[in-house]
Amino acid sequence: MYTQALDAKDAAKPPADPEDLARERAFQARIDDEVRIEPNDWMPAAYRRTLIRQISQHAHSEVVGMLPEGNWITRAPTLRRKAILLAKVQDEGGHGLYLYAAAETLNISREELVDQLLSGAAKYSSIFNYPTLSWADIGAIGWLVDGAAIMNQIPLCRCSYGPYARAMIRICKEESFHQRQGYEIMLTLARGTAEQRAMAQDALNRWWWPSLMMFGPPDAESSHSDQSTRWRIKRFSNDELRQKFVDATVPQGHFLGLAFPDPALQFDDAAGHWRFGPIDWVEFKNVVAGNGPCNRDRIRQRREAHEEGRWVREAALAHAAKRAARAAAPAAAAAE
Amino acid sequence: MTGEAKLPLWEVFIRARNGLAHKHVGSLHAADAKMALQAARDVYTRRGEGLSIWLVPSTAIVASDPDEKGMLFEPAESKIYRHPTFYEVPDEVGHM
């Protein structure tokens, strides 16, 4: 995920009055001392906006992320794989809920957050706009997409905003299962028939570059990161995290006996890093702008799910109101 | 979407095992207590995190005001004589 939100531009703020400046200085001093900020503490309006944008984009990504994987639940190759995939998709839903709850502590309602996703006003991670064409894609998503997510998310466990940091700690514990189960799928395919190996290779070919794009634009272009770094929302730059991911992942791919779709990929002995070729940022911008292979499909499915669930929400509230009225009725009668 | 009634917010507390206190783990939206309990089980105990769940309507929680933190908590800071390490006991006396 999902720190792509940090790179969005924020509206220019009006000049602050001296009292606000003093509060902002005190706020920054607390952050510099690694004191966590909690929901009812004073915070600059821009800090609140930045967090709402990032946490909600993160939550939306978890929820939309259920779609490409859910696509394979009915066609998982074995019952074991099916049970695992169900558990993983259920986790993604759970992660979305932890994160929505963290965003709501910043004084925005769940309904507003869901509206922002369904209306297209809010973004979610670009990665979920790619299709899952074969079973091997489920392996590649776990290994690469969740692997990239973990790189991004571990530093967020120390984010300055308490509720977000606490949600991330739970999420990181669970993501580890996701990455390992994905790698196991890839390993099984890589050790299988020629056809299975070809499936694994094809999945790596299609998911590698979009996974590198998950870390967001190169540092030179993401001007917004500076403020997020000062606020200790972000602790590593996009390029630093991307390099860490590449260094960790390339040997894992070689162990599988697969080739990365990057002719420029080579080990830099002096620096101790895997150097990779240029990323197609035009494709990234297109996908973020809504023109990826599955953007319209994903939002259509979320809207349908929300509309089809409406009667359930209404019935649950009506039932609760009826039960409450019944419980109150004998008490009222007794009081007369 | 808009105009729809809101589902109430609940705070979730979980006892990880007997002998430990219930600890706040997060919150969720549900129409009533029964549904909140089912949702808390699904959302917060997928990996054996607990043996007991408490749910409290968020509106029922009374919280102290962070702006009054000084007034509320600073008086305790100067009273170091409330801690056992304030007192000197000669080594010869042994553990006390």
Side-chain angles (χ1 to χ4, degrees), chain A residues 19-322:
Chain A
E19 199 180 328
D20 272 357
L21 284 174
R23 292 180 108 174
E24 272 190 41
R25 266 196 299 276
F27 176 83
Q28 188 62 49
R30 289 183 67 189
I31 300 241
D32 294 343
D33 287 345
E34 296 285 343
V35 175
R36 292 285 182 274
I37 307 303
E38 294 294 340
N40 293 326
D41 294 341
W42 185 87
M43 61 185 84
Y47 178 82
R48 186 183 297 276
R49 274 198 309 275
T50 301
L51 277 171
I52 289 177
R53 190 176 57 218
Q54 181 176 339
I55 301 172
S56 65
Q57 174 176 326
H58 194 162
H60 300 325
S61 300
E62 300 283 356
V63 170
V64 176
M66 290 194 282
L67 298 173
E69 295 187 289
N71 184 35
W72 280 90
I73 289 174
T74 56
R75 290 172 288 163
T78 64
L79 272 177
R80 175 178 177 271
R81 294 287 183 204
K82 186 171 184 158
I84 292 169
L85 186 55
L86 268 171
K88 181 175 189 294
V89 172
Q90 194 185 14
D91 271 357
E92 308 296 4
H95 296 176
L97 290 173
Y98 309 152
L99 290 162
Y100 280 130
E104 286 170 74
T105 63
L106 293 158
N107 284 338
I108 183 162
S109 72
R110 177 75 60 92
E111 289 76 10
E112 284 173 85
L113 293 168
V114 171
D115 267 359
Q116 288 174 359
L117 171 66
L118 299 184
S119 71
K123 301 269 185 250
Y124 54 88
S125 181
S126 56
I127 194 79
F128 300 117
N129 291 315
Y130 291 87
T132 41
L133 303 177
S134 83
W135 170 253
D137 289 10
I138 299 303
I141 287 181
W143 172 39
L144 301 174
V145 175
D146 291 310
I150 291 170
M151 281 295 168
N152 254 318
Q153 289 171 347
I154 285 177
L156 289 173
C157 296
R158 293 185 295 132
C159 159
S160 60
Y161 188 57
Y164 191 28
R166 291 192 285 275
M168 289 317 307
I169 289 169
R170 288 185 69 87
I171 290 173
C172 283
K173 278 186 194 163
E174 299 180 355
E175 288 284 355
S176 174
F177 138 59
H178 297 180
Q179 190 186 17
R180 291 172 65 117
Q181 67 86 34
Y183 192 71
E184 194 201 68
I185 292 174
M186 295 301 279
L187 195 61
T188 305
L189 293 171
R191 288 174 174 172
T193 63
E195 204 182 348
Q196 286 173 314
R197 275 197 299 281
M199 269 173 69
Q201 182 63 56
D202 170 60
L204 174 57
N205 291 349
R206 283 181 290 106
W207 290 93
W208 176 245
W209 290 110
S211 299
L212 296 192
M213 293 174 197
M214 285 174 68
F215 295 92
D219 295 348
E221 287 174 32
S222 73
S223 53
H224 206 69
S225 299
D226 297 348
Q227 184 59 62
S228 291
T229 305
R230 272 195 296 279
W231 279 332
R232 311 256 167 118
I233 296 173
K234 188 166 186 162
R235 288 177 183 265
F236 296 97
S237 76
N238 295 352
D239 285 338
E240 282 172 325
L241 290 169
R242 189 167 13 245
Q243 185 64 58
K244 273 174 90 163
F245 172 71
V246 171
D247 289 342
T249 309
V250 168
Q252 295 165 359
H254 290 160
F255 182 82
L256 295 172
L258 300 178
F260 287 85
D262 179 1
L265 187 72
Q266 60 173 332
F267 194 70
D268 177 346
D269 273 317
H273 290 299
W274 283 93
R275 299 299 178 200
F276 48 94
I279 294 173
D280 182 358
W281 293 113
V282 175
E283 174 182 326
F284 173 74
K285 280 175 190 144
N286 255 323
V287 176
V288 171
N291 302 317
C294 301
N295 295 57
R296 278 177 284 276
D297 204 40
R298 300 292 186 233
I299 289 298
R300 181 185 55 74
Q301 271 187 282
R302 284 314 313 156
R303 284 186 188 140
E304 276 173 18
H306 192 73
E307 282 310 309
E308 285 166 10
R310 181 187 297 279
W311 73 269
V312 179
R313 296 189 294 277
E314 287 172 357
L317 281 168
H319 179 71
K322 187 178 79 180

